[in-house]
Amino acid sequence: MPTTQKDRKDTWTQEEDELLAATVLRHIKENSTQLEAFKEVGKQLERTAGACGFRWNSYLRKQYSTEIQQAKQKRREEKRKETKNKSRSPNKQGKETLQDNHQKVERSQVASERQNNNQEQPIENITQFIKDLYEKESRYAEINENLSLYKSLNSELKAKIIELSSENEKLKNELDSMTQDYTRLSELIVQAKTFVIQR
C-alpha cells in the first residue's frame, strides 16, 4: 500500500535535506523565490511547501549561511551583468529597470548634497549607497517570501487543528460509549453475584 501524505513520518533523511538545500540555493542564484523552491521540493518528496519551508528555516538555513551568501553574491553579479547589457541596448518598451531607479535616486541624492555642501560626494559614499539599496531590496524580497511561507503554514495548521478537533470528538464519543458499557457490565456482575448468593 503506497504511503500517503497523511501516513508519512515527519523525519527527514540526509538525502532529503541535501535536496532541499541544493534546490533553495539554486533558486536564490536564479533570482527565484524560496517559496518556489519549497514547492518544487515538496512535489518531489510528497511533502507540503510549508513543511519544506519549516525544515529549511528551523534546521538547515544556519548550516548553509556561507552558501546562501555566495548564492546571493552570484545573483547580484548576474543582475549587474544584465543591467550593463540592458544599458548598452535601447529599451524598446521604455520600461525602467530597478537599476535605473536606483541610479536616478543616487543621482538625485548626489546632486542635492552637492548643492547643499557645495562639494563633490566621495565615490566611496556613492558605492556604499548603492550597496545599501541592494541590501534593502534583498531583505524586502526575503520578508515577502517569509510572509508567503507563514501564510501557507498558517493555513495548513488551521486545517490540522480542524482535523484533530474532529478526531478528538470521535475519541470522546468512543470513550463515553465504553464508559456506559463498563457501567452496564458492572451492574450485571453485581446482579449475578446477588443471584448466586440468594441461591
Side-chain angles (χ1 to χ4, degrees):
M1 181 175 163
T3 304
T4 64
Q5 185 84 25
K6 193 174 177 182
D7 294 334
R8 78 170 292 131
K9 294 179 181 176
D10 288 336
T11 54
W12 285 70
T13 65
Q14 185 178 348
E15 290 78 16
E16 288 174 330
D17 281 342
E18 288 171 359
L19 172 65
L20 177 58
T23 306
V24 170
L25 292 171
R26 175 170 51 80
H27 276 260
I28 292 172
K29 285 179 193 172
E30 294 173 357
N31 201 25
S32 177
T33 65
Q34 290 182 19
L35 188 57
E36 288 302 315
F38 301 150
K39 287 178 183 175
E40 181 182 322
V41 175
K43 284 180 186 175
Q44 292 179 46
L45 300 181
E46 295 182 4
R47 292 181 183 269
T48 63
C52 295
F54 185 78
R55 180 66 174 177
W56 172 255
N57 286 315
S58 65
Y59 182 73
L60 292 174
R61 189 185 190 94
K62 289 179 183 176
Q63 297 177 25
Y64 285 88
S65 57
T66 304
E67 290 85 348
I68 291 169
Q69 291 307 316
Q70 290 171 348
K72 286 181 178 179
Q73 181 63 32
K74 181 87 173 169
R75 180 177 66 192
R76 283 194 288 270
E77 289 170 5
E78 290 300 319
K79 276 188 179 179
R80 285 189 195 114
K81 285 179 186 175
E82 286 176 20
T83 304
K84 284 182 183 177
N85 291 339
K86 284 181 183 176
S87 64
R88 288 177 188 157
S89 63
N91 196 338
K92 295 178 182 177
Q93 298 176 352
K95 291 182 180 176
E96 294 180 337
T97 63
L98 188 59
Q99 278 291 79
D100 294 333
N101 288 335
H102 288 326
Q103 289 172 358
K104 281 184 179 179
V105 170
E106 174 203 335
R107 282 191 224 112
S108 169
Q109 184 179 5
V110 170
S112 172
E113 288 181 8
R114 280 181 182 173
Q115 286 174 357
N116 292 338
N117 301 329
N118 214 7
Q119 63 182 16
E120 288 196 3
Q121 181 81 333
I123 193 72
E124 292 83 13
N125 290 353
I126 296 170
T127 306
Q128 186 59 47
F129 177 72
I130 294 171
K131 283 181 182 176
D132 290 344
L133 285 176
Y134 273 117
E135 287 299 317
K136 285 177 184 174
E137 177 192 0
S138 176
R139 282 198 298 271
Y140 179 73
E142 199 169 312
I143 288 167
N144 276 341
E145 280 179 37
N146 286 335
L147 183 61
S148 298
L149 174 63
Y150 293 141
K151 283 181 180 176
S152 172
L153 275 170
N154 190 35
S155 298
E156 288 177 28
L157 288 172
K158 282 181 180 175
K160 193 71 178 170
I161 287 169
I162 291 169
E163 183 185 330
L164 289 172
S165 295
S166 174
E167 186 70 22
N168 185 43
E169 190 64 34
K170 182 180 170 186
L171 290 170
K172 187 179 174 185
N173 290 338
E174 287 178 8
L175 179 61
D176 289 344
S177 176
M178 288 173 67
T179 303
Q180 289 172 6
D181 289 346
Y182 177 76
T183 303
R184 285 192 205 113
L185 182 61
S186 296
E187 289 171 357
L188 285 172
I189 291 171
V190 170
Q191 288 174 3
K193 283 181 179 178
T194 305
F195 180 74
V196 169
I197 290 169
Q198 289 175 352
R199 291 190 73 186

